Amino acid sequence: MSWHPQYRSSKFRHVFGKPASKENCYDSVPITHSVHDNHFCAVNPRFIAVVTECAGGGAFLVIPLSQTGKLDPHYPKVCGHKGNVLDIKWNPFNDFEIASCSEDTTIKIWDIPTQLLTKNLTVFRKELMGHARRVGLVEWHPTAANILFSSGYDYKVMVWNLDTTDSVINNPVRTICCHQDVILSMSFNPSGSLLATTCKDRKIRILDPRAGTVLQDNLSVPLSEEDLDGSSGVLFPFYDADTSMLYVVGKGDGNIRYYEVSADKPHLNYLTEYRSYNPQKGIGVMPKRGLDVSSCEIFRFYKLITTKNLIEPVSMIVPRRSESYQEDIYPPTAGTQPSLSAQEWLCGMNKGPVLVSLRPGSEELSSQPPLPERPPSLNRTKQLVLGDGQRPFSLPEGKMPRRAAEHRLEEKKTRLTNLTNGFDVFECPPPKTENELLQMFYRQQEEIRRLRELVTQREVQAKQLELEIKNLRMGSERF
């Protein structure tokens, strides 16, 4: 009988962690010294938000992602809470909206201006008041717009509908009262139809978030179990459904372990470990649409290193020789468009996330509000309506009304923003590293290729229009 070694083939077998260089870190950041077990950091493709130290209340910083290097000691803060800020989360459908919760028992919703902050932001858009004790966690619903969840030290989970004109909301649409102790974490399934919570009473509960009922909480027999180390620090798990990888980050140490999850036994397959001598107090995670696909980056952490007042990005990279877009490691992922309104979800509808491609040039990755629809032309002979959702061929801008020309200019700017994966070419700083320069080069090449295709398409459309006009003239001359 021959012996066959067990070898598991995986495209993520050799994933490695790559810390950012010193100039691409965020230095001199006054990170909070709170002992609350939380991430204290939230990231999106435009901003990094971090809870900071503040006398006389709670505050957090919102730093543009491109503003690396040393932070000004007088950098403006977002402050308005009367107690320490315990958690912050960006709206997954709006890169300029963030929720914060605090020891003052309130949740606040903030609109971050598109320009850099020049003074402290103290005016919030909405305030949610319902918890009797401090609020430790906030989570946005993954598919429904304007639905926010919060949990507090009153052992309650509250569901809030922000789709209202009221600036102060005193009553949640649902209060879940099944926990016997402090809630430590909340997490949704991809469609948001189920909510999982962990509690200090050592129970994991699977909840129906609309009915507030417990569907399952006897999870005492795990499918797989693994001993990590003897450290008493809190572990933060991050699961990437796109790659089926689980990252385990330890608070108080500098290591990040990662595994591959599968439906087959042993279910949890250890890959390797990123090691660092700098312990992290908190951690932030970049959404998939903000990753650098040109370097085969599949995940990115932002480590809060309080011993150095430093925020250090760490990229998880799949080593590939080819510089082209790697379709197999970037499946369609959740975009910035909600699949349900708040009312639809509250009425019982369930839908998965709206998926988009991470390939550079994908127009659905923009987080900007949609442009108003162009009014139909009165003169049908001046436009050729195309099929397959393409834009109509129209007259040159010089012959268009002034308002239409301005609309086209704004539309072109939005297209360029979309093409650069949410990276605004009209406001972006010059590249600082060779990697950024290469990334900009690839984007420019993609834009040149797209524009050439567009020019060719327009030439064909123009010839078709000339042919139709010629046929109309010939037909009129016959009569």
Side-chain angles (χ1 to χ4, degrees), residues 320-376:
R320 294 283 176 93
R321 292 183 178 179
S322 175
E323 296 181 351
S324 61
Y325 178 73
Q326 305 293 306
E327 193 82 41
D328 61 321
I329 62 175
Y330 295 114
T333 190
T336 59
Q337 297 299 323
S339 54
L340 293 169
S341 67
Q343 196 59 41
E344 287 174 336
W345 183 79
L346 291 171
C347 290
M349 291 182 63
N350 290 319
K351 281 187 180 180
V354 178
L355 300 180
V356 295
S357 171
L358 293 181
R359 180 184 293 275
S362 175
E363 296 189 0
E364 294 186 51
L365 294 178
S366 173
S367 60
Q368 300 294 323
L371 290 170
E373 295 183 2
R374 183 181 301 178

Side-chain angles (χ1 to χ4, degrees), residues 132-319:
R133 299 181 64 185
R134 56 182 170 170
V135 187
L137 295 168
V138 286
E139 287 288 345
W140 294 91
H141 194 275
T143 61
N146 296 316
I147 294 291
L148 183 73
F149 283 67
S150 65
S151 68
Y153 280 66
D154 52 6
Y155 311 159
K156 295 179 181 179
V157 175
M158 295 188 178
V159 187
W160 304 89
N161 180 8
L162 307 183
D163 192 11
T164 174
T165 57
D166 298 334
S167 59
V168 178
I169 305 176
N170 293 308
N171 298 312
V173 294
R174 170 67 64 184
T175 301
I176 303 173
C177 304
C178 60
H179 298 86
Q180 306 300 319
D181 211 325
V182 177
I183 299 152
L184 302 178
S185 68
M186 298 188 293
S187 183
F188 290 95
N189 65 338
S191 67
S193 61
L194 297 176
L195 174 69
T197 63
T198 59
C199 184
K200 205 171 181 180
D201 63 5
R202 299 187 178 184
K203 287 185 180 181
I204 298 174
R205 292 173 173 86
I206 309 298
L207 308 172
D208 182 336
R210 280 170 293 224
T213 56
V214 179
L215 302 179
Q216 185 178 3
D217 65 355
N218 182 14
L219 302 176
S220 57
V221 182
L223 293 175
S224 178
E225 185 174 355
E226 182 166 340
D227 293 329
L228 297 179
D229 53 35
S231 174
S232 60
V234 175
L235 295 176
F236 296 134
F238 297 92
Y239 179 65
D240 180 8
D242 294 346
T243 59
S244 298
M245 288 181 64
L246 173 67
Y247 301 86
V248 180
V249 180
K251 181 178 180 180
D253 63 50
N255 301 336
I256 301 175
R257 301 172 179 86
Y258 37 105
Y259 305 79
E260 195 166 9
V261 181
S262 65
D264 303 324
K265 290 184 178 181
H267 303 295
L268 198 63
N269 300 288
Y270 176 75
L271 294 174
T272 187
E273 180 178 6
Y274 168 78
R275 295 179 177 270
S276 171
Y277 293 106
N278 297 319
Q280 57 254 359
K281 181 181 181 64
I283 201 89
V285 174
M286 173 64 75
K288 279 300 184 75
R289 56 194 174 88
L291 298 180
D292 179 10
V293 297
S294 65
S295 63
C296 297
E297 181 185 38
I298 59 170
F299 217 75
R300 189 191 305 162
F301 293 98
Y302 286 79
K303 294 177 53 175
L304 305 186
I305 305 172
T306 52
T307 56
K308 295 184 176 182
N309 289 332
L310 187 73
I311 303 177
E312 179 187 50
V314 177
S315 298
M316 312 307 294
I317 295 175
V318 178

Side-chain angles (χ1 to χ4, degrees), residues 100-101 106-109 126-128 131 135 138 148 150 160:
S100 63
C101 63
T106 69
I107 304 115
K108 289 180 169 54
I109 310 298
K126 289 184 184 295
E127 184 176 36
L128 316 181
H131 286 280
V135 187
V138 286
L148 183 73
S150 65
W160 304 89

